[in-house]
C-alpha cells in the first residue's frame, strides 16, 4: 500500500492529539497546520495495519512521530479500492473519512531525491540526504555510493545488500542493485544536492518499471576484485 502521512507541525495546532468530534467542535481541521512526514510503500492491507506499523517500528524515511490521534493518512494506492485516493483522520477509535486539501500542507523536510525499493515504482520525495543517519535508515544499513551515470547524480545503496540477501531491485548496465536505493544530486561538492526537476523526471522514467530479479542473479553479481602489486 502506498500512503502519505500528515502530522501537526507543532504547538500551533491546538487540536493536536484531539479526537475528530473535539476537532470539529473547535474550528475543524486546518490543513495549513499539518506537514507531510511520510511518503512511501508499506506492507499493510488496511488502516489498522498502518497504525500498527507506525507504532511498532521505525519506518525508513519517516520524519514524524508514532501515528497518533489527529494524524491524517492519505492512501495513494491500495488493492482495496474503498481506500484509494481518500484521506482518513486517525480518531480515538478507528478512522474518519475526511475532505483534506493536501496542497495546503507543508512538504517533507530536505532535498529532492528519488527513493526506489524492490517491486515498487520510484517515489519522489524530500529527505535530509546529508545526514548519515537518514541515509543509513533509508537503505537499511551501511551506505555505498556509486556513480553509474554520466550525470551529476549518485546512487546511494546498502553496501552489504547482496551479502545479507536483500531482494534484487534494479539493473544498471551489467550491475545489479539490491535493497532500497536513493537517487541523489551530486555535483562533486562535499554534500549531496537536490535533484533538479529534469533529473527527477528522467530517472523516474528510467527506473519506472519494477524488475523481477532472482536471488541467483543477485548473488552472481557479487564478486571480489584482487589487485596485485609488483
Amino acid at each position: 500500500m502506498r500512503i502519505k502521512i500528515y502530522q501537526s507541525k507543532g504547538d500551533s495546532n491546538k487540536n493536536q492529539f484531539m479526537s475528530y468530534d473535539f476537532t470539529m467542535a473547535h474550528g475543524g481541521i486546518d490543513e495549513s497546520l499539518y506537514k507531510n512526514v511520510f511518503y512511501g510503500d508499506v506492507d499493510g492491507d488496511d488502516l489498522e495495519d498502518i497504525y500498527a506499523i507506525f507504532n511498532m517500528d521505525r519506518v525508513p524515511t519517516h520524519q514524524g512521530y508514532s501515528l497518533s490521534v489527529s494524524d491524517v493518512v492519505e492512501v495513494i494506492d491500495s488493492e482495496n479500492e474503498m481506500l484509494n485516493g481518500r484521506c482518513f483522520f486517525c480518531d480515538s477509535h478507528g478512522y474518519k473519512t475526511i475532505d483534506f486539501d493536501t496542497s495546503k500542507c507543508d512538504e517533507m523536510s530536505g532535498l529532492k531525491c528519488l527513493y526506489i525499493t524492490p517491486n515498487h515504482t520510484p517515489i519522489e520525495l524530500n529527505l535530509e540526504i546529508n545526514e548519515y543517519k537518514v541515509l543509513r535508515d533509508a537503505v537499511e544499513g551501511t551506505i555505498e555510493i556509486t556513480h553509474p551515470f554520466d550525470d551529476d547524480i549518485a546512487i546511494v545503496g546498502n553496501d552489504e545488500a547482496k551479502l545479507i540477501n536483500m531482494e534484487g531491485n534494479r539493473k544498471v548496465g551489467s550491475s545489479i542493485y539490491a535493497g532500497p536505493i536513493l537517487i541523489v544530486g551530486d555535483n562533486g561538492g562535499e554534500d549531496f544536492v537536490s535533484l533538479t526537476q529534469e533529473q527527477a523526471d528522467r530517472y523516474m522514467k528510467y527506473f519506472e518499471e519494477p524488475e523481477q530479479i532472482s536471488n541467483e542473479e543477485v548473488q552472481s553479481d557479487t564478486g571480489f576484485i584482487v589487485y596485485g602489486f609488483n
Side-chain angles (χ1 to χ4, degrees):
M1 184 186 300
R2 179 163 290 185
I3 65 170
K4 288 185 176 182
I5 292 178
Y6 302 87
Q7 294 179 327
S8 293
K9 292 188 287 186
D11 296 338
S12 59
N13 187 354
K14 63 182 182 298
N15 294 332
Q16 185 178 18
F17 306 130
M18 297 301 168
S19 69
Y20 176 81
D21 288 342
F22 181 94
T23 299
M24 299 310 292
H26 292 80
I29 301 169
D30 185 348
E31 295 95 334
S32 67
L33 299 179
Y34 280 80
K35 176 182 178 180
N36 180 202
V37 296
F38 177 79
Y39 177 27
D41 298 294
V42 294
D43 294 327
D45 296 322
D46 54 37
L47 296 172
E48 295 304 323
D49 287 344
I50 300 304
Y51 186 86
I53 290 169
F54 283 86
N55 276 276
M56 291 175 57
D57 301 309
R58 181 65 186 173
V59 181
T61 75
H62 183 208
Q63 298 180 348
Y65 46 81
S66 298
L67 194 65
S68 304
V69 174
S70 79
D71 295 345
V72 175
V73 177
E74 178 186 12
V75 179
I76 308 298
D77 185 34
S78 170
E79 293 183 0
N80 185 340
E81 292 298 326
M82 296 296 292
L83 301 179
N84 277 342
R86 297 185 179 184
C87 292
F88 302 88
F89 184 98
C90 185
D91 206 0
S92 303
H93 297 91
Y95 292 82
K96 299 287 188 183
T97 305
I98 59 171
D99 291 324
F100 189 79
D101 187 351
T102 60
S103 68
K104 295 180 179 179
C105 303
D106 285 0
E107 294 184 354
M108 294 178 69
S109 301
L111 303 176
K112 186 191 303 293
C113 60
L114 297 184
Y115 189 52
I116 308 172
T117 56
N119 304 312
H120 295 107
T121 57
I123 288 175
E124 179 185 319
L125 75 169
N126 296 338
L127 285 179
E128 300 287 358
I129 54 177
N130 288 309
E131 293 185 12
Y132 179 77
K133 184 180 185 303
V134 172
L135 292 179
R136 184 191 65 198
D137 288 349
V139 302
E140 301 177 22
T142 307
I143 68 171
E144 176 185 42
I145 302 168
T146 57
H147 300 83
F149 298 103
D150 185 18
D151 196 0
D152 291 338
I153 68 105
I155 296 181
V156 181
N158 186 316
D159 186 44
E160 300 179 330
K162 296 170 186 175
L163 297 177
I164 59 177
N165 294 316
M166 280 189 159
E167 194 170 2
N169 190 346
R170 295 297 198 277
K171 295 177 181 177
V172 178
S174 60
S175 298
I176 292 173
Y177 288 87
I181 59 174
L182 283 167
I183 313 298
V184 301
D186 187 357
N187 60 10
E190 293 184 1
D191 296 324
F192 292 130
V193 297
S194 181
L195 292 175
T196 66
Q197 192 58 56
E198 188 275 333
Q199 288 174 323
D201 292 343
R202 184 194 319 162
Y203 291 102
M204 181 77 78
K205 184 175 181 179
Y206 183 94
F207 291 107
E208 182 177 14
E209 293 299 326
E211 299 183 52
Q212 299 299 314
I213 304 173
S214 69
N215 184 59
E216 289 74 20
E217 289 179 283
V218 173
Q219 294 307 310
S220 70
D221 194 49
T222 303
F224 298 92
I225 301 175
V226 179
Y227 295 94
F229 296 93
N230 294 326

